[in-house]
Amino acid sequence: KGCLGYVKRVLFVVGDDWIFLFALGVIMALISFTIDFTVNKMLIAHWWLFQELGDNMLLKFLSWTVYPIALTAFSTGFAQSVCPESAGSGVPEVKTILTGVVLEEYLTIKNFGAKVVGMTCTLAAGSPIFLGKVGPFVHLSCMIAAYLGRMRASATNEYENKNKQYEMLVAGAAVAVSSCFGAPVSGVLFSVEVVSSHFAVRHYWRGFFAATCGACMFRLLAVFNSEQETILALFKTSFDIDFPFDLPEMIFFLVLGAVCGVMSCAYLFCQRWLLGYIRRNSVIVKLMAMEKAVYSGLVALLLSSITFPYGLGQFMASRLTMKELLYSLFDNNTWIVLTQNASLSRPHVVDPENLWLEWWDPTFTVYGTIAFFLVMKFWMLVLATTMPMPAGYFMPVFLYGAAIGRLFGEVVAYFFPNGIWTDGVLNLIIPGGYAVAGAAAFSGAVTHTLSTALLALEMTGQLSHILPVLLSVLVANAIAQRYQPSFYDGTIIVKKLPYIPRFWGSQKGSCMVTTDPYMNRNLAPVVKSWGFRDILNVLTSSADTEFPVVESEGSMVLLGSVARSELLYFLHSYTGQDTVVEGTPSSGLEKNVGEVCSIQPITFQLSTQTSLYQAHELFEILNAQLMFVTDGGKLVGSVTRKELRKAIEDLALGKTPV
Amino acid sequence: KGCLGYVKRVLFVVGDDWIFLFALGVIMALISFTIDFTVNKMLIAHWWLFQELGDNMLLKFLSWTVYPIALTAFSTGFAQSVCPESAGSGVPEVKTILTGVVLEEYLTIKNFGAKVVGMTCTLAAGSPIFLGKVGPFVHLSCMIAAYLGRMRASATNEYENKNKQYEMLVAGAAVAVSSCFGAPVSGVLFSVEVVSSHFAVRHYWRGFFAATCGACMFRLLAVFNSEQETILALFKTSFDIDFPFDLPEMIFFLVLGAVCGVMSCAYLFCQRWLLGYIRRNSVIVKLMAMEKAVYSGLVALLLSSITFPYGLGQFMASRLTMKELLYSLFDNNTWIVLTQNASLSRPHVVDPENLWLEWWDPTFTVYGTIAFFLVMKFWMLVLATTMPMPAGYFMPVFLYGAAIGRLFGEVVAYFFPNGIWTDGVLNLIIPGGYAVAGAAAFSGAVTHTLSTALLALEMTGQLSHILPVLLSVLVANAIAQRYQPSFYDGTIIVKKLPYIPRFWGSQKGSCMVTTDPYMNRNLAPVVKSWGFRDILNVLTSSADTEFPVVESEGSMVLLGSVARSELLYFLHSYTGQDTVVEGTPSSGLEKNVGEVCSIQPITFQLSTQTSLYQAHELFEILNAQLMFVTDGGKLVGSVTRKELRKAIEDLALGKTPV
C-alpha cells in the first residue's frame, strides 16, 4: 500500500492533471471512432437500399431523397426538443465561453446527448447534405473536458479556479480536432487559433499530450478494426517526394491562394447574409417558430434532389461519400492525362481504385464537372449551414477548397502538359498538390487560421508541399481577414454573442483614443459605510451584477468591487437581524456594507489615459468582463466589452468616439 | 503617382508591417546562406589540407588540430574584444529581453558584427568542436528585427511601443530557426516555446509570414546554387511510408523517450555544474581574466586531438562534418543488416553514398562506435559549451539525440532481426526512425520544448513517424522538466539574469500564499504635494527607479507612479528656477511634484489577498517588472520579480514564506 501511495504521489507530482488529460484523449477517440463506425454502417445501408431497387427510377429517387430527409428532420427535431442550444457547430459558443462569458446551458449533459445523436444522424445523411463533424466534436470534447475538470477538482481537493478550467477546455478543443483527423500537432494549433486569443506556452504540453493520446487511440482503433495495417495518415497521398513541384510553380500556388481568398470572402458574405435573412423573412421565421424539423426536411429534399446520381448528381460526383470525395481530389494522378490515354466508361458502382472516374463525363470533361460542382455546392453549402441541427462546417469547406485546388491544378496541367522546363529537366505538374494547397487555403481563409496548412499535410501524411501550401494559406488569409470576419466570428455576430472585433494594423488611431470618450459614466457606486436603506436604493435603481465600492461619496476612492448577490445577502441578513434581535436594533443598524460583505480587491483598472489599443489588449489577455476607470485613485467610470466593441467599431468606421 | 499612392495605401492597410517582415525573412535567409557558404568553403579547405599532407602523421595531426585551434581562438578573441556580450548562444538573453528587461548592449550593431564573424569561425572549426548555428542566429535575427522595428516606427510616423517591438522580436526568432533549417512551421513554434511565455494568437501570422519568406528564400538560394534541383527538405529521409512502424514499436519509442529524458537530465546537470565550476576554479578564473582566447585554444586542442581520425577519432566517425553526421544517422538502412551481408572496408576518403561506413569498425561493430561516440561526446560537448565565443548548442544536442536513437534502433533491430510479427505480416525495423525520434526527444528535453518533434519531421521531410516521435518527445520532456531547468533557463541562472522559475502542478500551496508574506514593505512613497526638500530626501535615501505617488502620508491612497528620472528633472527645474528667477522664490517653492512631474497611472496592482499563483501569472502575461500592492486603495507594499522568485523558490523548498 505504501508502494501504491508512492506511485500515486509520483504520478500526481509530475502534473496532477495528466491522468485526466489521458482520459480525455481516450474518451474522445472512442466517441469519435464509435460515431464514425455507426455513420459508416448507416451510409452502407443507404447505398445498399439504393442499389437493390433495380431500375425503377422513381423508387431510386425516393430512396435517395427520403433517407437524408428523415435523418436531418430527426436530427433537427431531436436536438431542438432535447436542447435547442445543441444546434449548429458549437465552436462560436466555445470561443465565447473561453473569453470568460458564462454560457451555462452549453456545457450540460443534456446538450451532450442531443449533440451526439444529432451529429450522428447529420453525418449519416451523407454527401447530399455535405456537412461535417469537427465543430460539434469540439463542442462535445469541451463538455467532457469541463466534466473531467470538475472531477479533478473534487479528486485533488482543490478548488477549481478559472485558469484550470480554461486549460482543460483548450486541451479539450485540441483533442477534438486531433481525434477527428488523427493529426496531433495541427489539431493543437488549429484549436488554439480558433478558440483562444492568448496562449500560455506553459500549457502547451496539455494540449499536445491529450491530442497525442487521442490521435494514437483513434488510429489504433482503426488498426484493430482492420481498416489499416498500421498507424497511417487518414487521407494518405503518394506524391513524388523527389520532385514534388518546380520552382516556377510557386507563382501558381500564390495565385491559387488569392483565388481561394476571394472565394472565401464571397462565401463568408453569402453565408452571413443568408443567416441573417432567414431570421428576417417572415415566412421562414413562422416556419422555424412552428416546426424547425420541417424546415430542415425541406432543405434536405432540395439538396438531395439536386444530387440524385441519375439527374444533376452525375455531373458532381454525388455517388461518393465525403471521405471518398476528398480521397479522389487528392489523387496522385493527373486526370487530364488519364482521360486522354484510355477508353473510359463510368462503372455501374463506384470503383474504389478509380474514384476519379466519378468526376469524368464524356461531354463535359473533368473541368466541366468540377466547375459545376463548385457552382452548385457554393449555394448548397450556404443553404445547408442554415439548418438548425448539430453539424460541422469545417469538412465541407475543406473539401470545397480541395475541389478549387484540383480544378486549378488540372488547368495548370492543361497549359503545361509536359510540365515546366527548368535546367534541362522536365517535371510533370501534380494537380493533387494543388488540391492539398487549395483545401488548406480555402478552409484557412474561411476560419481565419494558418494551421490548416499543417492540418492538410498531416492528413495526407506528406510534408513535401509545405512551402507552397503555406504560401497559399498566407495569401488567402491576408485577403479574407482584410474583408470579412471569420466563419466563427460571423456566427457570433449573427447570434449576438458578446464579441470583441479584431484590430487592424491600419487603425493607428487606436493608440490615440483614450478611455475617456467611450467609458460608461453611469455608475452606481456603493459607499463602504452605507447601510440598509442606501443599498436598497442602489439595488432597485441599477441592474448591474457588480458594483464598485468607494471610500466616500466625496473622495470617490475606489476600494474594490462587490457582487450583486453579496448585496442581496446583506439585505437579507439585515432584515433577519432586525426582526429576531429586536432588543438591539441600533447594533443591527450600525452594520454597514464594508463589515458584512466581502469586497473583492481590484487587480486591474484602466486610467483615463489608457489607450484603446491597451484596453483591448487587456480585455483579451485577461478575459475580463468589466474594468473600472480611475483617475488618480478616484473612480470615474467603467468599461465593459460592450463599450469596448462600440469604440472599436466606431474607430473602424472612421468616427472618433466622442 | 496616384496609382502608386493607392498601392502603397493598400499595402500598408493590409498590415503596415508585412513589408518589414518580408525584408526580415529575406535578409536572414541571405545571411544564413552566406554563412553556410563560407563555412562550407572553409571546411573543404581544411579537408583538402589534411588530405594533401600525405602519410606524415605528425603533419596530419598538426593540420587537424591547428585549424580549429586557430579558428576558435580567433573567434573568442574577436568576439571578446569587439563586444564581450556576443559570447554564448544569445538565446537566454533574448528570452530575458522578451520578459521586458532592458539589456541594451545585446541588440547593438557591434554585437551583430562580433556575432557574425565569431559564429562563422566557430562553425568553420567543424565537427571536432561540435557546435552549431541556431542560437547565435536567433540572436542575430532579433537584432535585425529590432533595427527594422525602429525603421518601421520612423517610416510610419508612429511611436514605437513595447508591444510592437515585442511582436517584431518574436517574429525575428521565428525567422532564425526557419531559415536555419528551412522549416517554417516548426521554426515558429520552436521560437515561441523557447523565447516567450505567452503568445497572442493575433500575432501568429507575423511569425508564419516572416518564417515562410525566410524558409523560401533560404531553399531558393540552395536551388540557385545548384545544390538541389528543387525545394526539398534539408535532411531528406526516404523511409517506407507504406509501413513506417509497427504498433508494438510504440512501446520502444516510449522507452527511447525515457532514455533521452534521463540522459538530458544528466547532461543539463553536468553542463550547469561545469559552467559554475569554471567561474569558481581560481586557475581558470585567472586564465579567463587574462586571455579568454587561450582558454578556447586549449579546449580546442583537447577536443581536436581526441577526434584525430587516425587516433581515437576513427571510432567516432570524426571524418564527417556535422551535416554528414546527421545524414548518416538518419540513414534509411539498417546498419546491422548491412554489416552482415557484405565484405566491408572503410574507404580512404569519406564516401558520400555510404556515410554509414564511417561508423563501422571491424572489431567494435557499429554498436561499439556509437556507444563510444556517445560517451566521449557527452563530456566533450559539455566542455565545448564553456568556451566564451559565439556558438549554438542546439544542433550538437540534436545530433547527440540522433545518435542515441540510432543506437537504440540498431539494438531493437538486433533483437528483432526479422521485424515484429503481427497479423501474419513481417515488417523490418527502421532504425532511422528511432534516430529521428531520439533527436527530437533529446533536443526537446534539453530545451524543454515539444516542437522539436515537428522540427525533426520537417527537417527530414517525412511525416510518417509523427505519433511515435511525439510520444518520445512528451515522455522525455516530462522527465526533464521535472528534474532540471532547461538549457536556456540554466544559463540564465548561472549568468544571474532576472528570471522567474516555473510553477509545478504539485505546488498547490501557490493558491494559498498571498502577497502579504513576501512583498517588499520598505517603500519610499512620494506624496503628491511634496516639494523640493522632501523629494531630495527620498532620492538620496532610496535607489529605486520608480516611486509610488500617494495622496497624503495619512491616507496613503495610491495615485500613480513616477520615474526617478522625472523626479531628478523636477529637482533640476527647481534649482534652475530658484537661481534665475530670484525675485520670486516663493512661486518656485510652491510648485510640487503633482504639478510638474507626469504621474503614470496604475493599471495593475496586486492586493494583499492576491495568491502567488495569480501574481506569477500576471507577471508572466504582462511582462511586468514591478507591481504595487494595495489594501482597500491604500498602498502597503510592492512586488518585483526578485520577491516573486524568492517566494516561488521558498515554496518549492517547502518553506512557506513568512
Side-chain angles (χ1 to χ4, degrees):
Chain A
K1 198 174 175 189
C3 182
L4 203 75
Y6 175 76
V7 168
K8 194 185 156 196
R9 218 157 46 235
V10 166
L11 287 183
F12 270 71
V13 152
V14 172
D16 56 351
D17 43 3
W18 75 266
I19 301 162
F20 296 93
L21 293 168
F22 180 79
L24 179 65
V26 172
I27 291 173
M28 290 322 292
L30 282 171
I31 295 177
S32 176
F33 184 77
T34 313
I35 291 178
D36 279 7
F37 188 81
T38 317
V39 166
N40 202 23
K41 291 277 172 235
M42 286 167 89
L43 285 175
I44 291 170
H46 183 201
W47 191 245
W48 174 83
L49 186 72
F50 183 70
Q51 294 286 86
E52 286 295 299
L53 289 171
D55 291 336
N56 189 326
M57 273 302 147
L58 182 65
L59 278 184
K60 264 192 186 290
F61 179 77
L62 284 179
S63 84
W64 181 262
T65 52
V66 168
Y67 201 78
I69 293 173
L71 283 170
T72 48
F74 173 74
S75 171
T76 310
F78 186 81
Q80 291 291 341
S81 62
V82 173
C83 178
E85 284 83 13
S86 67
S89 91
V91 174
E93 286 83 5
V94 169
K95 199 175 172 176
T96 312
I97 290 171
L98 283 174
T99 62
V101 180
V102 179
L103 297 174
E104 278 292 344
E105 64 278 27
Y106 282 94
L107 295 177
T108 56
I109 195 83
K110 237 166 58 177
N111 202 334
F112 183 84
K115 207 114 195 177
V116 168
V117 174
M119 186 169 78
T120 309
C121 293
T122 309
L123 288 173
S127 63
I129 304 300
F130 206 62
L131 290 173
K133 177 180 155 194
V134 187
F137 208 66
V138 168
H139 192 175
L140 284 183
S141 187
C142 285
M143 294 182 214
I144 299 274
Y147 185 74
L148 283 173
R150 279 198 293 274
M151 240 175 80
R152 179 187 60 178
S154 69
T156 55
N157 290 328
E158 216 179 307
Y159 80 104
E160 194 188 25
N161 62 32
K162 242 184 167 180
N163 285 314
K164 298 237 162 179
Q165 208 180 12
Y166 184 87
E167 290 161 17
M168 268 317 250
L169 286 181
V170 173
V175 169
V177 182
S178 309
S179 52
C180 264
F181 298 127
V185 178
S186 51
V188 175
L189 298 184
F190 183 71
S191 68
V192 165
E193 275 196 273
V194 167
V195 299
S196 53
S197 63
H198 260 267
F199 202 69
V201 175
R202 263 183 323 133
H203 304 151
Y204 228 40
W205 74 268
R206 261 169 248 276
F208 271 108
F209 179 74
T212 307
C213 293
C216 273
M217 196 66 203
F218 182 65
R219 308 257 281 264
L220 265 178
L221 287 169
V223 175
F224 285 135
N225 197 32
S226 303
E227 287 171 22
Q228 290 181 326
E229 277 188 4
T230 187
I231 292 177
L232 288 171
L234 215 53
F235 296 96
K236 198 157 77 68
T237 54
S238 44
F239 303 142
D240 177 14
I241 55 163
D242 286 325
F243 208 96
F245 59 94
D246 216 327
L247 279 187
E249 286 188 63
M250 292 295 259
I251 297 158
F252 299 136
F253 280 103
L254 263 181
V255 175
L256 174 62
V259 170
C260 286
V262 172
M263 293 280 285
S264 74
C265 284
Y267 169 73
L268 287 170
F269 178 80
C270 294
Q271 205 264 339
R272 223 170 54 252
W273 177 82
L274 190 67
L275 266 189
Y277 179 77
I278 62 161
R279 279 162 192 249
R280 284 193 308 270
N281 184 292
S282 57
V283 180
I284 300 176
V285 168
K286 251 182 220 161
L287 183 64
M288 282 285 206
M290 259 178 3
E291 195 53 83
K292 290 197 172 66
V294 174
Y295 174 79
S296 288
L298 286 175
V299 172
L301 173 64
L302 179 63
L303 296 180
S304 55
S305 307
I306 286 173
T307 55
F308 182 54
Y310 293 96
L312 285 174
Q314 60 186 298
F315 307 119
M316 41 202 288
S318 66
R319 291 200 293 180
L320 299 179
T321 62
M322 300 285 279
K323 269 196 178 175
E324 286 170 339
L325 277 171
L326 203 52
Y327 257 122
S328 67
L329 291 169
F330 287 165
D331 186 5
N332 200 16
N333 300 302
T334 310
W335 295 351
I336 190 74
V337 173
L338 289 178
T339 50
Q340 283 163 354
N341 292 355
S343 59
L344 298 165
S345 68
R346 199 182 279 192
H348 189 62
V349 290
V350 174
D351 175 10
E353 296 300 311
N354 290 299
L355 291 174
W356 75 275
L357 278 175
E358 296 296 314
W359 289 99
W360 175 76
D361 186 272
T363 38
F364 286 110
T365 74
V366 286
Y367 300 112
T369 48
I370 305 180
F372 186 70
F373 175 87
L374 288 176
V375 171
M376 295 302 279
K377 283 292 179 189
F378 185 85
W379 65 265
M380 285 163 74
L381 181 52
V382 170
L383 190 60
T385 53
T386 62
M387 289 195 273
M389 62 188 181
Y393 312 121
F394 180 77
M395 197 60 185
V397 169
F398 194 79
L399 226 165
Y400 193 84
I404 299 177
R406 172 54 81 165
L407 182 61
F408 193 90
E410 293 287 342
V411 169
V412 173
Y414 178 79
F415 284 109
F416 299 92
N418 298 315
I420 293 166
W421 182 275
T422 39
D423 280 344
V425 190
L426 265 184
N427 293 287
L428 293 180
I429 304 284
I430 304 174
Y434 287 90
V436 173
F442 190 71
S443 57
V446 167
T447 55
H448 285 197
T449 54
L450 300 171
S451 44
T452 49
L454 193 63
L455 184 65
L457 297 172
E458 271 197 272
M459 277 166 79
T460 57
Q462 285 201 299
L463 264 180
S464 48
H465 280 82
I466 187 157
L467 277 177
V469 169
L470 258 180
L471 262 188
S472 305
V473 171
L474 278 169
V475 171
N477 254 289
I479 296 173
Q481 296 200 12
R482 177 78 194 88
Y483 296 104
Q484 291 286 329
S486 84
F487 182 85
Y488 305 117
D489 286 347
T491 313
I492 289 178
I493 293 170
V494 172
K495 285 197 173 179
K496 300 209 169 77
L497 297 169
Y499 155 82
I500 303 183
R502 278 192 185 222
F503 251 121
W504 281 104
S506 59
Q507 294 170 359
K508 291 178 200 163
S510 60
C511 294
M512 313 299 179
V513 178
T514 60
T515 47
D516 209 44
Y518 64 88
M519 70 184 180
N520 171 29
R521 287 164 193 282
N522 291 324
L523 288 176
V526 169
V527 176
K528 198 183 167 189
S529 56
W530 274 0
F532 174 71
R533 221 158 298 269
D534 296 313
I535 295 297
L536 194 63
N537 275 338
V538 161
L539 282 180
T540 45
S541 67
S542 164
D544 292 350
T545 50
E546 203 177 341
F547 294 88
V549 179
V550 294
E551 184 77 50
S552 69
E553 267 179 291
S555 76
M556 285 295 263
V557 171
L558 184 66
L559 300 180
S561 70
V562 65
R564 190 181 187 90
S565 56
E566 282 279 335
L567 292 183
L568 286 172
Y569 173 78
F570 171 68
L571 290 190
H572 283 296
S573 73
Y574 171 77
T575 18
Q577 268 192 349
D578 204 28
T579 47
V580 177
V581 196
E582 257 181 274
T584 51
S586 63
S587 79
L589 268 173
E590 270 164 23
K591 286 248 165 148
N592 60 35
V593 182
E595 287 161 8
V596 176
C597 296
S598 86
I599 293 173
Q600 292 298 314
I602 302 278
T603 314
F604 323 105
Q605 56 195 14
L606 301 174
S607 82
T608 43
Q609 286 128 60
T610 313
S611 71
L612 184 56
Y613 181 89
Q614 281 174 304
H616 176 252
E617 192 84 4
L618 285 177
F619 269 85
E620 279 218 329
I621 292 181
L622 305 165
N623 285 333
Q625 304 298 322
L626 167 75
M627 287 202 208
F628 294 114
V629 183
T630 57
D631 182 13
K634 280 195 191 78
L635 178 72
V636 290
S638 72
V639 174
T640 62
R641 290 183 168 240
K642 214 178 85 196
E643 274 97 29
L644 194 68
R645 181 177 162 187
K646 188 151 184 317
I648 293 172
E649 284 172 351
D650 282 355
L651 190 69
L653 293 172
K655 285 191 275 179
T656 314
V658 189
Chain B
K1 201 175 173 187
C3 180
L4 202 77
Y6 175 76
V7 169
K8 196 185 153 195
R9 219 157 43 237
V10 166
L11 287 184
F12 270 73
V13 152
V14 172
D16 56 352
D17 43 3
W18 74 266
I19 301 163
F20 296 93
L21 292 169
F22 179 79
L24 179 65
V26 171
I27 291 172
M28 290 322 293
L30 282 171
I31 295 177
S32 174
F33 183 75
T34 314
I35 292 178
D36 279 5
F37 188 81
T38 317
V39 167
N40 202 26
K41 292 277 172 234
M42 286 168 90
L43 285 175
I44 291 171
H46 183 202
W47 191 245
W48 175 82
L49 186 72
F50 184 70
Q51 294 287 85
E52 284 296 298
L53 289 170
D55 291 335
N56 189 325
M57 273 301 146
L58 181 66
L59 278 182
K60 264 192 186 292
F61 179 75
L62 283 179
S63 84
W64 181 262
T65 51
V66 168
Y67 202 79
I69 293 173
L71 282 170
T72 47
F74 173 74
S75 173
T76 310
F78 186 82
Q80 291 290 341
S81 63
V82 173
C83 179
E85 284 82 14
S86 67
S89 92
V91 175
E93 286 84 6
V94 169
K95 198 174 172 177
T96 312
I97 289 172
L98 282 174
T99 61
V101 180
V102 180
L103 297 174
E104 278 293 341
E105 64 278 27
Y106 280 94
L107 294 177
T108 57
I109 195 82
K110 237 167 58 180
N111 202 334
F112 182 84
K115 206 113 195 178
V116 168
V117 174
M119 185 170 79
T120 310
C121 293
T122 309
L123 289 172
S127 62
I129 305 300
F130 207 63
L131 290 172
K133 178 180 153 192
V134 187
F137 208 67
V138 167
H139 192 176
L140 284 184
S141 188
C142 285
M143 292 181 214
I144 298 273
Y147 185 75
L148 283 172
R150 278 199 294 274
M151 240 176 79
R152 180 188 60 179
S154 69
T156 55
N157 290 325
E158 216 179 307
Y159 81 103
E160 195 189 24
N161 61 32
K162 240 182 167 178
N163 285 313
K164 297 237 162 180
Q165 209 181 11
Y166 184 87
E167 291 161 16
M168 268 316 250
L169 286 181
V170 173
V175 169
V177 183
S178 311
S179 52
C180 265
F181 298 126
V185 179
S186 51
V188 175
L189 298 184
F190 183 69
S191 68
V192 165
E193 275 195 273
V194 167
V195 299
S196 51
S197 63
H198 262 266
F199 202 70
V201 175
R202 266 185 318 134
H203 303 150
Y204 228 40
W205 73 269
R206 262 169 248 275
F208 271 107
F209 178 74
T212 307
C213 292
C216 273
M217 195 68 203
F218 182 65
R219 308 257 282 262
L220 265 178
L221 286 168
V223 175
F224 285 135
N225 198 32
S226 303
E227 286 172 23
Q228 290 182 327
E229 277 189 5
T230 186
I231 293 178
L232 288 172
L234 215 54
F235 296 96
K236 198 157 78 67
T237 54
S238 44
F239 303 142
D240 178 15
I241 55 164
D242 286 326
F243 208 95
F245 59 95
D246 215 327
L247 280 186
E249 286 188 64
M250 292 295 258
I251 298 157
F252 297 136
F253 280 102
L254 265 179
V255 175
L256 174 62
V259 170
C260 286
V262 172
M263 293 282 283
S264 74
C265 286
Y267 170 73
L268 287 169
F269 177 80
C270 294
Q271 206 265 338
R272 224 172 52 252
W273 176 83
L274 191 66
L275 266 189
Y277 180 75
I278 62 160
R279 280 162 191 250
R280 284 193 309 271
N281 184 291
S282 57
V283 179
I284 300 177
V285 167
K286 252 184 221 162
L287 183 64
M288 283 285 207
M290 258 178 2
E291 194 53 82
K292 289 196 172 67
V294 173
Y295 175 79
S296 288
L298 287 175
V299 172
L301 173 64
L302 179 63
L303 295 180
S304 55
S305 307
I306 286 173
T307 56
F308 183 55
Y310 294 96
L312 284 174
Q314 59 186 299
F315 307 118
M316 43 202 285
S318 66
R319 292 200 294 180
L320 299 178
T321 62
M322 300 285 280
K323 269 195 179 175
E324 285 170 338
L325 278 171
L326 203 52
Y327 257 120
S328 68
L329 291 170
F330 286 166
D331 188 4
N332 200 16
N333 299 302
T334 310
W335 296 351
I336 189 74
V337 173
L338 288 179
T339 50
Q340 283 162 352
N341 293 353
S343 59
L344 298 165
S345 69
R346 201 184 277 192
H348 189 63
V349 289
V350 174
D351 176 9
E353 295 300 311
N354 289 301
L355 290 175
W356 77 274
L357 278 176
E358 296 296 315
W359 289 101
W360 175 76
D361 186 88
T363 37
F364 286 111
T365 75
V366 288
Y367 301 113
T369 48
I370 305 180
F372 186 69
F373 175 88
L374 289 176
V375 171
M376 294 302 278
K377 284 290 178 190
F378 186 85
W379 64 266
M380 284 164 73
L381 181 54
V382 169
L383 190 60
T385 53
T386 61
M387 289 194 272
M389 63 188 179
Y393 312 120
F394 180 77
M395 197 61 185
V397 168
F398 193 79
L399 225 165
Y400 193 84
I404 298 177
R406 171 54 82 166
L407 181 61
F408 193 90
E410 293 286 343
V411 169
V412 172
Y414 178 79
F415 284 109
F416 299 92
N418 298 314
I420 292 164
W421 183 277
T422 39
D423 279 344
V425 190
L426 264 185
N427 293 286
L428 293 180
I429 305 283
I430 304 175
Y434 287 90
V436 173
F442 190 70
S443 57
V446 168
T447 55
H448 285 198
T449 54
L450 300 171
S451 44
T452 49
L454 193 61
L455 185 65
L457 298 172
E458 271 197 272
M459 278 166 78
T460 56
Q462 285 200 299
L463 265 178
S464 47
H465 279 82
I466 187 155
L467 278 177
V469 169
L470 259 179
L471 262 188
S472 305
V473 171
L474 279 168
V475 172
N477 254 289
I479 296 172
Q481 296 200 12
R482 178 76 194 90
Y483 295 104
Q484 290 288 328
S486 84
F487 182 85
Y488 305 117
D489 286 346
T491 313
I492 289 179
I493 294 170
V494 171
K495 286 197 173 182
K496 300 209 168 79
L497 296 169
Y499 154 85
I500 303 183
R502 280 193 182 221
F503 249 122
W504 280 104
S506 59
Q507 292 169 0
K508 290 180 200 164
S510 62
C511 294
M512 313 301 180
V513 177
T514 60
T515 47
D516 209 45
Y518 64 89
M519 70 183 179
N520 169 28
R521 286 164 195 281
N522 290 324
L523 286 176
V526 169
V527 176
K528 198 183 166 189
S529 56
W530 273 1
F532 173 73
R533 221 158 298 270
D534 297 312
I535 296 297
L536 195 63
N537 275 338
V538 161
L539 282 181
T540 45
S541 66
S542 161
D544 292 351
T545 52
E546 204 178 339
F547 294 88
V549 179
V550 295
E551 185 77 48
S552 68
E553 268 179 291
S555 75
M556 284 296 264
V557 170
L558 185 64
L559 299 179
S561 71
V562 64
R564 189 181 187 89
S565 56
E566 283 278 333
L567 292 182
L568 286 172
Y569 173 79
F570 171 69
L571 290 190
H572 282 296
S573 73
Y574 172 77
T575 17
Q577 268 190 350
D578 204 28
T579 47
V580 177
V581 196
E582 258 181 272
T584 51
S586 62
S587 78
L589 268 173
E590 271 166 20
K591 286 246 163 150
N592 61 34
V593 181
E595 286 161 11
V596 176
C597 297
S598 86
I599 294 171
Q600 293 298 315
I602 302 278
T603 315
F604 324 107
Q605 57 195 13
L606 301 174
S607 81
T608 43
Q609 285 129 63
T610 313
S611 72
L612 183 56
Y613 182 89
Q614 282 174 303
H616 177 254
E617 192 84 2
L618 286 176
F619 269 85
E620 278 219 329
I621 292 182
L622 306 164
N623 285 332
Q625 304 299 321
L626 167 75
M627 286 203 209
F628 294 113
V629 183
T630 57
D631 182 14
K634 280 195 192 79
L635 177 72
V636 289
S638 72
V639 174
T640 63
R641 288 180 172 245
K642 214 178 85 195
E643 275 96 29
L644 194 67
R645 182 177 161 186
K646 188 153 183 315
I648 293 173
E649 284 172 350
D650 283 354
L651 190 68
L653 293 174
K655 284 191 277 180
T656 313
V658 190

